[in-house]
Structure formats: C-alpha cells, structure tokens
Amino acid sequence: MWRTLVLVTILGLAGCSAHQGVDVPRSNDPFVTQVPADFAKSSASDARDPFEPVNRGAWVINYDVLDTYLVRPASHVYGDYVSQPVRDGFQNVVLNLEEPASFVNHVVTGDFVGAGTSLVRFGVNSTVGVLGFFDVAEKMTLSRRSKDFGQVLGQIGVGDGPYLMVPIYGPTTLRELSGDLVDGLYFPYDAMSFAMRAGKFAMNGLYERTELIDREPILDNSLDPYGLVKDLYLQNQDAKIGKESMTETDDSLSDFMDEIDG
C-alpha cells in the first residue's frame, strides 16, 4: 500500500544514529534555545537530493497527512482484528505475483539457478498453494529469491539518480522508479486492470505497515524524519546491489527492508 509510509517507519529502525548533522532553528525568544523537533530541517546541501524542497512537500503529504489519518489507523485495525496466519497468507499471494518478474531479472543477470527457483515457486504456489496463499515451495526448500529490475540496473553500474519522494508511492530514486516500471510490464501485471494493481499495492503496504507498528515511536521522535528516511533508504539501496555493507546497528533495518523490497 502506501509505500512511503511503510518505508518511513521501517527506515526509522536505525533511528538515533542518523540525527547527526541536523541544525535546529533558533527561536526569537532569548530564553528558548530551540524549537520543537517538528520544525527541524537538514541544512546541508545534498547532491543526492537535488529536488529536496519538492520532496519535503511530498513528505508532508505522505507522513503528516496520509500516514496520520489513514494508513496508521488502518494498519492498527488490520493488526488487531486479522490473525497473523491470515495476514501472512494474503502477503504470500501478493509476493507470488512478483515471481515472474524475478524470473526474468535473474535470467538477465545470468543467474539461472535463481531464475529456476522463481519459476518453480510461481508454478507450485499458484496451483498447490492456492494462488500463493500457502508458500508450499518454501516447504520444498525453495526459498524466495526476489530480484527487481532496479537491482539489475544497479549491478551493471547504473547509478541511483536523484532521490525522489513521490506522493503516496513513497521514497525512491530514478533508477528504482524505472525498474519498477519495467517490472510492471511482465505477466501477470500486463493482464491486470488498474484496480487489481492498486489492490495489490494496497495489500502489500498494509501488511508491511502493520508489521512495523511497534517501531512507530522511533520515527515519530526523530529530529529530522525526512533526512533519516532518505539516508537509510539510499543506504539500503546500496546494500541490495552489494555496493557496501550495512553497519551492525542497521541489521534489523536490513531484514525489514529486504522483506519490503525483495
């Protein structure tokens, strides 16, 4: 679902370590040295984020409006009234739809073992697993090996491009956005209506957001949530293509980002 708001909370996992380098505006009151954290802004120019003023506007829409009044309440209701096995089953259906694209991307990079795994997983789970609700392939020791086209581009040397914060869609880069568009061309997406794609997007986001409820305070209490999300999102993208290793303090973030980005 709302990918931004999901990633927003996820990226808060590494919380406190990203607060360095943020200047806090001063109040005109000589007895007050700083204003509440909500007004904090990153003062350093970031070459990775040439559209920062626009991106921060989109951040307000995603985090202050959509997450506060729609996504967060919905995720709490979903978590409270739908059991974990049922939530996992619906998420399995969503992830099963991504197996064909993973198959193609593994083939493109010459990983025929990974391609075979994605192909068999899709066939087994779509039939015996009831459209993927039950991950039968996992029981057959065929673990998911997701690969998106953004990873393919990164592995052949294509840079991230500018960082983007897109309303509703969330944090991304030009490379990742291009990769998502290409992945959307494959079966079964090419046979899905806009409503079906939107439903898949919503179910995926709702599941991921629900799994992160316990970590909401980390981002809520961050001095500069926008800067924190940006730094950790870009760090995770580097880790996905093996560009650099994530620090020990980010191990839990890596696990959750892998779950989201595949």
Side-chain angles (χ1 to χ4, degrees):
M1 180 180 155
W2 312 86
R3 186 167 173 263
T4 291
L5 312 169
V6 175
L7 293 180
V8 160
T9 303
I10 299 169
L11 292 168
L13 286 170
C16 303
S17 63
H19 293 171
Q20 299 177 354
V22 178
D23 291 339
V24 179
R26 300 292 179 177
S27 167
N28 292 326
D29 187 341
F31 298 102
V32 178
T33 59
Q34 65 183 43
V35 297
D38 288 345
F39 297 93
K41 301 291 183 181
S42 177
S43 60
S45 177
D46 190 344
R48 304 168 303 172
D49 188 7
F51 309 117
E52 181 172 350
V54 176
N55 286 337
R56 282 189 178 272
W59 169 265
V60 171
I61 295 173
N62 289 332
Y63 183 62
D64 293 340
V65 179
L66 295 179
D67 189 56
T68 300
Y69 298 107
L70 179 61
V71 181
R72 183 174 299 203
S75 66
H76 280 262
V77 171
Y78 192 55
D80 290 342
Y81 294 100
V82 180
S83 67
Q84 185 72 51
V86 174
R87 297 201 305 269
D88 289 343
F90 285 133
Q91 181 66 0
N92 287 339
V93 173
V94 169
L95 296 178
N96 188 54
L97 297 173
E98 299 176 357
E99 296 288 5
S102 287
F103 164 75
V104 175
N105 293 327
H106 281 299
V107 170
V108 169
T109 55
D111 181 4
F112 298 107
V113 173
T117 297
S118 294
L119 184 61
V120 173
R121 280 183 55 83
F122 183 71
V124 171
N125 287 343
S126 296
T127 53
V128 182
V130 191
L131 300 180
F133 189 88
F134 302 102
D135 193 350
V136 178
E138 181 70 33
K139 305 297 183 182
M140 300 167 58
T141 69
L142 293 172
S143 298
R144 183 176 293 107
R145 300 180 63 172
S146 300
K147 175 172 283 190
D148 58 61
F149 194 67
Q151 288 175 266
V152 174
L153 293 175
Q155 289 171 352
I156 63 175
V158 177
D160 287 321
Y163 174 77
L164 304 169
M165 178 64 68
V166 183
I168 299 178
Y169 189 79
T172 187
T173 62
L174 183 58
R175 185 186 72 201
E176 286 301 303
L177 186 60
S178 300
D180 288 346
L181 291 174
V182 172
D183 286 337
L185 300 175
Y186 305 133
F187 177 85
Y189 295 122
D190 61 345
M192 295 170 64
S193 66
F194 175 80
M196 294 172 67
R197 292 192 184 205
K200 182 263 186 187
F201 181 68
M203 287 303 300
N204 183 54
L206 182 60
Y207 175 85
E208 292 163 348
R209 184 63 176 79
T210 301
E211 293 297 293
L212 297 163
I213 289 175
D214 291 342
R215 294 164 178 81
E216 289 172 353
I218 298 176
L219 190 64
D220 291 342
N221 296 323
S222 173
L223 185 62
D224 181 18
Y226 172 84
L228 173 62
V229 168
K230 175 176 65 177
D231 289 342
L232 294 177
Y233 178 82
L234 293 174
Q235 179 183 359
N236 180 73
Q237 294 307 306
D238 285 343
K240 284 175 60 179
I241 63 173
K243 186 174 180 180
E244 63 181 29
S245 298
M246 301 188 79
T247 64
E248 198 172 299
T249 58
D250 294 330
D251 286 345
S252 58
L253 170 65
S254 179
D255 292 340
F256 279 89
M257 288 301 294
D258 286 344
E259 178 183 330
I260 282 192
D261 286 336

